Amino acid sequence: MAKDTGSLRALRRTNSERLLSALMEHGALHRAELARICGVSRTTVSTIVADLVMGGVVMEVVGDQVAEAGIDASEVDGRARGFLQANPAAGAAAGLDFTLERVWGHVTDLSGTTLASDGATVARDTPWQERLTTGLALLDELLSKAALDRDALVGVAIGVPGPIDLQSGVVGPSLPGQAWAGVNVSAEFGRHLAVPVLVGNNTRLEAVAEFTWGAGKGARDVLYLGLSTGIGSGLLVDGNLHHGGARGGGGEVGHISADPAGAPCPCGNRGCLVQYASLNAVLKALSFGDIDELLAAAEAGDDDTVRVLREAGEHTGRVLANICNLLNPERIIVGGELARAGDLVLEPIRATLRRSAMALTRDADVVAAELDLGARAGASGAAALVLRQTDQLVAALLAGAELKSNEAV
Amino acid sequence: MAKDTGSLRALRRTNSERLLSALMEHGALHRAELARICGVSRTTVSTIVADLVMGGVVMEVVGDQVAEAGIDASEVDGRARGFLQANPAAGAAAGLDFTLERVWGHVTDLSGTTLASDGATVARDTPWQERLTTGLALLDELLSKAALDRDALVGVAIGVPGPIDLQSGVVGPSLPGQAWAGVNVSAEFGRHLAVPVLVGNNTRLEAVAEFTWGAGKGARDVLYLGLSTGIGSGLLVDGNLHHGGARGGGGEVGHISADPAGAPCPCGNRGCLVQYASLNAVLKALSFGDIDELLAAAEAGDDDTVRVLREAGEHTGRVLANICNLLNPERIIVGGELARAGDLVLEPIRATLRRSAMALTRDADVVAAELDLGARAGASGAAALVLRQTDQLVAALLAGAELKSNEAV
């Protein structure tokens, strides 16, 4: 018989877990709906809910307050009872995203509402130990702004450059100038934080932010492509976040070959997409110093700039056509600095995709990333990653709520 | 808040559904384990199990009979009670796989044990209506061999060539000589069968067979590649079967470009992998009439044959390196007629993959398909597809069992 460990895990739940999960995944529900969804009696719902409300994990709300975050249960008229929702203030999720010269932090409540968000600069050659200290200080500062402390956290996710080996938990293999190479980021932050610490590649966390709050919202099969110094990606497959495959090495769209006869790449492949469509490749082809110079020339209609951006888009479109024939995403989100060139790069991507992909796969929407957060996108995606781990979150909340009736029914 | 409709569906269950699902996914369990897994009391387990046993859906077994299919509950000593398992004989799953000149049928019990399997030939130009009649006659013949009738079926899956548009349910777009093009296969079989009818591409069903019973057993991230007249594939992503993306058009590895400077392909792309590594391409390059001629020359060590197979493997390896950098599968299974050339095609695939893919993704195992079933693989995969739809199966079984105590607790 085929095993499905996902749904098996879902079965291994107490009634408290079931009720809280349903509220977190479904939003506000009437008691009767909650009983039906969880397959338990209304008496069971009443007993457990009383306890969850006492523990501060669930709150009762009246109709027009439903889904508004930050409502204090004591303000709600007792006669209008009936709607229940998970208490957004029962815990906080945090993300820290480390790029070469910055760390950005993001703290949300359990409904995903931002409580605090800010960044700090770090010198390029700062070792990881110092980056960790800076990150924790930033986290404490953000929590303090939100009138919280570390005890409020239900989970933290950390973004770093480069792939993370899921087998060893270690960042690597070594990238030039990559401070975290060889470090088990989760274990190192775990020494300072009493909650689960998740780790993800910067670009994959930008992708999670777009899937949760940006251009991917509501879609089930999405590719996010970050055209930046490197080219990374994130994937949503049938509604599930792709964690990078067997060892977490997936998502490296920049090292998909756009031309097998192209120049050798240090990765082992030839004619990798980064050689044609990364920010660095485009700047180098045009002898520009930075993205602003590029955007100014593009706006002025400089022929060379328009041509190089078109060629970058065409190479990207060819690689995307191959990915579409493999996975048939409904939407492709293009982010990273180069996406700021807008249709000068997006239109050639679309035209090439329409021409090269198969009939059922070629009509994927190609859209620009929506979240104009700059370096913040990764940090907000890290917080979103914490909120997506519903099972872990429910367990953490119930452990903190000191329930009496759990297992009573 | 992030939605996870999968686990929400799992929550929307009665206790009967929970118990039966746990037994189907977990195999034989003690009552106490079952209570713990489902988060219900032992009294609830006893009440519901008594009913499920009466309905013939669950059976009690003693230790050494556990997991042996076909045990009659009445034979089991009442004093040795304790182990419970889903009754393999409570229903049957069936698959029919239509290729150009054959239809193969496969019927299993609920534990996946084969009850009957056989094939029939059809003329190449047979229209779909006649193929459908032939398929249903074959199905009835197989059921009759197993001393069953259509009422025993819990689901049927049908394999056809070409992509199936998941939006319309229709096979297409039109392929040359494809009898099913433009047909809603599920709806047409649904007129004759009172159970859910699933539809899948031939190669994707071969993949399901390998994932369930063959070289992919136990792995969570697997690509199956079928090197045949065309080149199709199937994907297991983090333990979940990939259904082909937004419109079901995914899996077309044969139309991933192996050389963007190559010849135009009717699909719209250039230098598609089918031009180099399909059975037809290899036979044509060597002017051989069929696979047997090819295999004889390969065994005799014919230089041209060895070279063409090596080049086919190298092109395949380059495309697979790109897929590994995107999805990082732990295992790649190579099936289809061309896989019968063994290491003459597998070794160049492995060598190219090791050289071209990135450090974390290049060590994917590349293995030959295990199921030596010929045209039967697709049909057994179709039956496996039915057995993987646990939710649907549990609902069908409970509907047939006429339970009294369901919802009583």
Side-chain angles (χ1 to χ4, degrees), chain A residues 1-15 17-19 21-22 24-27 36-41 109-112 163-167 172-173 212-213 220-221 223 233 235 237-253 255-260 266-270 318 321-330 355-363 384 387-388 390-391 393 407 409, chain B residues 1-15 17-19 21-22 24-27 36-41 109-112 163-167 172-173 212-213 220-221 223 233 235 237-253 255-260 266-270 318 321-330 355-363 384 387-388 390-391 393 407 409:
Chain A
M1 178 59 49
K3 303 284 177 196
D4 180 340
T5 53
S7 81
L8 185 59
R9 268 198 304 275
L11 285 166
R12 206 177 270 144
R13 284 165 176 252
T14 65
N15 284 331
E17 286 174 314
R18 278 194 203 114
L19 265 58
S21 283
M24 297 198 62
E25 295 178 1
H26 214 64
R36 185 181 53 77
I37 286 175
C38 297
V40 298
S41 70
D109 69 17
L110 297 186
S111 73
I164 294 117
D165 186 338
L166 291 181
Q167 266 170 28
T212 311
W213 294 309
R220 296 185 62 78
D221 287 277
L223 174 73
S233 75
L235 261 178
V237 180
D238 201 16
N240 299 309
L241 204 59
H242 188 247
H243 292 289
R247 294 187 63 186
E252 295 284 354
V253 175
H255 294 283
I256 290 183
S257 175
D259 180 4
C267 79
N269 218 340
R270 276 178 169 276
R318 274 195 288 276
N322 290 334
I323 295 178
C324 284
N325 286 351
L326 180 68
L327 295 177
N328 190 13
E330 63 197 278
R355 196 169 54 237
S356 305
M358 297 183 81
L360 282 184
T361 72
R362 67 173 61 129
D363 56 3
L387 296 176
R388 280 178 174 262
T390 312
D391 284 359
L393 226 130
E407 302 310 310
V409 183
Chain B
M1 175 63 48
K3 304 283 175 197
D4 181 340
T5 54
S7 79
L8 185 60
R9 268 198 304 276
L11 284 167
R12 207 176 270 147
R13 282 162 176 255
T14 65
N15 284 331
E17 286 175 314
R18 276 194 205 115
L19 264 59
S21 283
M24 296 199 61
E25 294 179 2
H26 214 66
R36 183 181 55 76
I37 286 174
C38 296
V40 299
S41 70
D109 70 17
L110 297 186
S111 73
I164 294 116
D165 186 337
L166 291 182
Q167 267 170 26
T212 311
W213 294 309
R220 295 185 63 79
D221 287 278
L223 174 73
S233 75
L235 261 178
V237 179
D238 202 16
N240 299 309
L241 204 58
H242 188 247
H243 292 289
R247 293 187 62 185
E252 295 284 354
V253 175
H255 295 283
I256 290 183
S257 174
D259 181 4
C267 79
N269 218 339
R270 279 179 167 275
R318 271 194 291 275
N322 290 334
I323 295 178
C324 285
N325 286 353
L326 180 68
L327 295 176
N328 190 13
E330 63 196 281
R355 196 169 53 239
S356 305
M358 296 184 82
L360 283 185
T361 72
R362 67 173 61 129
D363 57 2
L387 295 176
R388 280 178 173 263
T390 312
D391 284 358
L393 225 132
E407 303 310 309
V409 182

Side-chain angles (χ1 to χ4, degrees), chain B residues 67-93:
Chain B
E68 282 179 25
I71 297 167
D72 180 349
S74 64
E75 292 169 16
V76 175
D77 184 342
R79 289 163 299 179
R81 285 167 57 154
F83 268 113
L84 298 164
Q85 69 177 40
N87 183 359

Side-chain angles (χ1 to χ4, degrees), chain B residues 10 14 29 40 103 149 155 169-170 183 190 218 234 257 284 299 322 339 361 380 385:
Chain B
T14 65
L29 292 170
V40 299
V103 51
D149 57 30
V170 162
V183 179
S257 174
K284 193 176 164 199
E299 195 159 341
N322 290 334
T361 72
S380 75
L385 188 66

Side-chain angles (χ1 to χ4, degrees), chain A residues 87-105:
Chain A
N87 183 358
L96 289 173
D97 193 47
F98 291 91
T99 55
L100 198 55
E101 299 183 66
R102 289 194 75 77
V103 52
W104 208 281

Side-chain angles (χ1 to χ4, degrees), chain A residues 98-366:
Chain A
F98 291 91
T99 55
L100 198 55
E101 299 183 66
R102 289 194 75 77
V103 52
W104 208 281
H106 195 91
V107 176
T108 73
D109 69 17
L110 297 186
S111 73
T113 301
T114 304
L115 299 178
S117 185
D118 205 352
T121 53
V122 285
R124 288 174 84 94
D125 58 354
T126 308
W128 69 264
Q129 294 88 342
E130 212 175 301
R131 287 172 187 259
L132 183 147
T133 307
T134 307
L136 288 174
L138 176 61
L139 177 61
D140 287 335
E141 187 194 316
L142 294 174
L143 288 169
S144 159
K145 275 187 196 166
L148 299 171
D149 58 28
R150 290 189 192 177
D151 288 344
L153 292 171
V154 293
V156 175
I158 312 289
V160 293
I164 294 117
D165 186 338
L166 291 181
Q167 266 170 28
S168 65
V170 162
V171 178
S174 169
L175 296 173
Q178 154 64 300
W180 297 100
V183 179
N184 187 321
V185 176
S186 176
E188 293 300 340
F189 275 89
R191 293 181 206 280
H192 304 275
L193 298 166
V195 290
V197 179
L198 308 166
V199 186
N201 164 277
N202 298 138
T203 312
R204 199 173 286 153
L205 295 183
E206 286 168 32
V208 178
E210 287 290 335
F211 299 158
T212 311
W213 294 309
K217 215 172 153 182
R220 296 185 62 78
D221 287 277
V222 191
L223 174 73
Y224 173 86
L225 187 67
L227 299 177
S228 185
T229 313
I231 299 180
S233 75
L235 261 178
L236 201 65
V237 180
D238 201 16
N240 299 309
L241 204 59
H242 188 247
H243 292 289
R247 294 187 63 186
E252 295 284 354
V253 175
H255 294 283
I256 290 183
S257 175
D259 180 4
C265 175
C267 79
N269 218 340
R270 276 178 169 276
C272 288
L273 185 61
V274 283
Q275 297 178 8
Y276 311 98
S278 63
L279 176 63
N280 292 11
V282 169
L283 291 179
K284 195 177 161 197
L286 292 161
S287 304
F288 286 144
D290 60 24
I291 177 79
D292 294 323
E293 219 177 318
L294 173 78
L295 293 175
E299 195 158 340
D302 173 65
D303 284 348
D304 277 351
T305 304
V306 170
R307 176 183 52 79
V308 168
L309 286 173
R310 188 186 64 237
E311 288 168 1
E314 287 168 352
H315 278 104
T316 305
R318 274 195 288 276
V319 165
L320 289 179
N322 290 334
I323 295 178
C324 284
N325 286 351
L326 180 68
L327 295 177
N328 190 13
E330 63 197 278
R331 200 169 300 166
I332 295 168
I333 305 169
V334 184
E337 287 94 330
L338 213 55
R340 293 172 59 195
D343 280 347
L344 287 179
V345 69
L346 292 179
E347 275 303 327
I349 291 179
R350 291 186 189 112
T352 309
L353 182 64
R354 304 282 176 265
R355 196 169 54 237
S356 305
M358 297 183 81
L360 282 184
T361 72
R362 67 173 61 129
D363 56 3
D365 282 332
V366 178

Side-chain angles (χ1 to χ4, degrees), chain B residues 54-397:
Chain B
M54 283 290 287
V57 175
V58 164
M59 55 194 286
E60 312 201 36
V61 282
V62 293
D64 57 1
Q65 290 174 306
V66 165
E68 282 179 25
I71 297 167
D72 180 349
S74 64
E75 292 169 16
V76 175
D77 184 342
R79 289 163 299 179
R81 285 167 57 154
F83 268 113
L84 298 164
Q85 69 177 40
N87 183 359
L96 289 173
D97 193 46
F98 291 90
T99 54
L100 197 57
E101 301 183 63
R102 289 193 74 76
V103 51
W104 206 281
H106 195 91
V107 176
T108 74
D109 70 17
L110 297 186
S111 73
T113 301
T114 304
L115 300 178
S117 186
D118 206 351
T121 53
V122 285
R124 288 175 83 94
D125 57 355
T126 309
W128 69 264
Q129 293 87 342
E130 211 175 301
R131 286 170 188 261
L132 182 147
T133 307
T134 307
L136 289 174
L138 176 62
L139 177 61
D140 287 334
E141 186 194 315
L142 294 174
L143 288 169
S144 158
K145 274 187 197 169
L148 298 172
D149 57 30
R150 290 188 191 178
D151 288 343
L153 292 171
V154 291
V156 176
I158 312 290
V160 293
I164 294 116
D165 186 337
L166 291 182
Q167 267 170 26
S168 64
V170 162
V171 178
S174 169
L175 295 174
Q178 154 65 301
W180 297 100
V183 179
N184 187 322
V185 176
S186 176
E188 294 299 340
F189 275 88
R191 294 182 205 278
H192 304 273
L193 297 166
V195 290
V197 179
L198 308 166
V199 186
N201 164 277
N202 297 139
T203 312
R204 200 173 283 154
L205 295 182
E206 286 168 33
V208 178
E210 287 290 333
F211 299 159
T212 311
W213 294 309
K217 215 173 153 181
R220 295 185 63 79
D221 287 278
V222 191
L223 174 73
Y224 172 86
L225 188 67
L227 299 176
S228 185
T229 313
I231 299 180
S233 75
L235 261 178
L236 200 65
V237 179
D238 202 16
N240 299 309
L241 204 58
H242 188 247
H243 292 289
R247 293 187 62 185
E252 295 284 354
V253 175
H255 295 283
I256 290 183
S257 174
D259 181 4
C265 175
C267 79
N269 218 339
R270 279 179 167 275
C272 288
L273 185 61
V274 283
Q275 297 178 8
Y276 311 97
S278 63
L279 177 62
N280 292 13
V282 169
L283 291 179
K284 193 176 164 199
L286 292 161
S287 304
F288 286 145
D290 61 23
I291 177 79
D292 293 323
E293 218 176 319
L294 173 77
L295 293 175
E299 195 159 341
D302 173 64
D303 285 346
D304 276 350
T305 304
V306 170
R307 176 182 52 78
V308 168
L309 286 172
R310 188 186 64 238
E311 288 169 0
E314 287 167 352
H315 277 104
T316 305
R318 271 194 291 275
V319 165
L320 289 178
N322 290 334
I323 295 178
C324 285
N325 286 353
L326 180 68
L327 295 176
N328 190 13
E330 63 196 281
R331 201 170 299 166
I332 295 168
I333 306 169
V334 183
E337 286 95 328
L338 213 56
R340 292 171 60 194
D343 280 347
L344 286 179
V345 70
L346 291 179
E347 275 303 327
I349 290 179
R350 290 185 190 112
T352 308
L353 182 63
R354 303 283 174 264
R355 196 169 53 239
S356 305
M358 296 184 82
L360 283 185
T361 72
R362 67 173 61 129
D363 57 2
D365 282 333
V366 178
V367 299
E370 268 180 18
L371 301 177
D372 190 21
L373 296 176
R376 269 179 288 185
S380 75
L385 188 66
V386 172
L387 295 176
R388 280 178 173 263
Q389 317 292 312
T390 312
D391 284 358
Q392 220 172 58
L393 225 132
V394 162
L397 289 174

